[in-house]
Amino acid sequence: MNPIAEALNSQLANTVVARTLSLFGKRIYFPKGIVAQATEAKKSATTFNATVGIALADGEPMILPTIQDNLPRLSPAEAIDYAPPGGDNRLRALWKEEMLRKNPGLVDSKVSVPAVVPGITAGISLSADLFVDEGDTVVFSELCWDNYPLIFETRAQARCFTHPVFTKQGGLNIDAIALTLRTNARNNKAVLVLNFPHNPTGYAPTKQEAEALASALVSLAEEGLNLVVLCDDAYFGLFYEEEVYRQSIFALLHNAHENLLAIKIDGATKEDYVWGFRVGFLTFGAFGLQESHFEALNQKVLGAIRTTISSSSRVGQTLLYKELSSLVYHGIKGKYARVLEERFKTVKKILETRETGKTLKALPFNSGYFMTFELSKGSSEDLRRHLLKNEGIGTISLQDRYLRLAYSSVDNRDLKALFAAVFQAADVLAEQ
Ligand SMILES: Cc1ncc(COP(=O)(O)O)c(C=O)c1O
């Protein structure tokens, strides 16, 4: 059991709570990870707060104008009526249409109609409910969003295995993904979680890497492994470099092999700058699945939704529908993406020209919200605390060796000062 859960349980010892908690209730805990560090930064990061995965401009969340304009104009039915458990049908159809537009490699009849879930987290957790039993094998990257171990290990009680993100040359470590799956699969089954653009590194595969990864996974399926691939596309669309594969890896997997079930978990959260709406989507695809299979699968999803969250936010779905069907949608969204791309370019330029901070190595990044430094010496938790206490700067430390910076939440004009402070603090700590 995780030590934090153990500590909580001993705090609760000899109470009615301890006597009545379920096994899951005993295992669950709130990690001292990203959310806890971000909460700390909210109090003390008075200079820059580069912790949270949202996009800010002048300290305010970047809201799309159509969302803002529609807020006071909704009818009661649009604002407060229950939404169907699988989501508003018009929105489901429109999200699919947009998905096909953004991913030309998708075959319309080979993917299910997306079901609405309250955010990507819920989509991942619900997929775990449906496809992960206690003791099943789940594989994800060593550096990953800290909710994966909590969902798959603590909640679903899977056996989790990790693979390094990068090769020594700095490319995606496809061999490690395939090897981790091959060596640890159990009962001819394994679940793989892919997340591109990646949290925390901000890396997305090149076209060549995406194709090589897909063919490695198809080879495993051909060997007889039943593979479920969860594509966490939280940061989809924020691709900044020419050679990056600009579709979801789901496009290469949804119709690839009869032993390979691909699940696309995406949402409006980051794609449409509505973090608190809680509107995400679950979409399935596998070679050989027909309309009748998708309908049966949809019924399972509805059952899982019905017994947990019942249905997702109606107002969020209504506003998202209006946003997606608005004539100005693509233009405005492109503008917002360019704000983030400009910040990415600024960070790249800073890293090219810096002369200090020799203990920090930037991991490869080309997309998304984040970049991550690896420390060759010292503790990233010490560095995080130092930055927070002495500079009022909020960052995220991971595994005591990595420091994640969300440049998405710092204005372009402030990035130089942010990185200068990080380099300087790293130097000060390295000399101690
Ligand atoms: C990789 C990844 N997946 C999912 C999420 C959460 O998405 P949602 O807020 O829609 O649950 C995040 C970020 O917070 C993330 O970084």
Side-chain angles (χ1 to χ4, degrees), residues 21 29 43 208 296 407:
L21 272 179
Y29 63 97
K43 280 192 227 133
Q208 222 178 10
Y407 59 82

Side-chain angles (χ1 to χ4, degrees), residues 367-407:
S367 54
Y369 272 23
F370 311 110
M371 65 80 54
T372 292
F373 283 118
E374 181 176 5
L375 275 74
S376 59
K377 203 173 140 195
S379 144
S380 63
E381 177 59 12
D382 287 351
L383 178 55
R384 179 188 79 85
R385 282 175 200 266
H386 178 97
L387 283 165
L388 194 56
K389 198 164 145 247
N390 300 304
E391 309 290 340
I393 291 178
T395 57
I396 296 291
S397 90
L398 299 159
Q399 300 176 15
D400 209 17
R401 212 172 107 211
Y402 300 95
L403 193 77
R404 187 192 81 175
L405 299 183
Y407 59 82

Side-chain angles (χ1 to χ4, degrees), residues 206-248:
T206 62
K207 187 164 182 288
Q208 222 178 10
E209 286 173 334
E211 281 166 1
L213 174 57
S215 80
L217 298 179
V218 171
S219 298
L220 289 169
E222 248 157 24
E223 288 168 23
L225 181 67
N226 290 297
L227 198 51
V228 179
V229 184
L230 307 182
C231 309
D232 176 346
D233 286 347
Y235 302 91
F236 181 83
L238 296 168
F239 304 121
Y240 310 129
E241 286 189 341
E242 216 30 62
E243 68 273 19
V244 171
Y245 181 63
R246 285 173 182 247
Q247 297 186 53
S248 166

Side-chain angles (χ1 to χ4, degrees), residues 53 118-122 124 145 148 195 199 232 234-235 269-270 275 278 370:
I120 293 163
T121 310
I124 300 169
W145 185 40
Y148 294 160
N195 164 226
N199 178 1
D232 176 346
Y235 302 91
T269 310
K270 323 259 176 186
W275 306 272
R278 314 314 302 148
F370 311 110

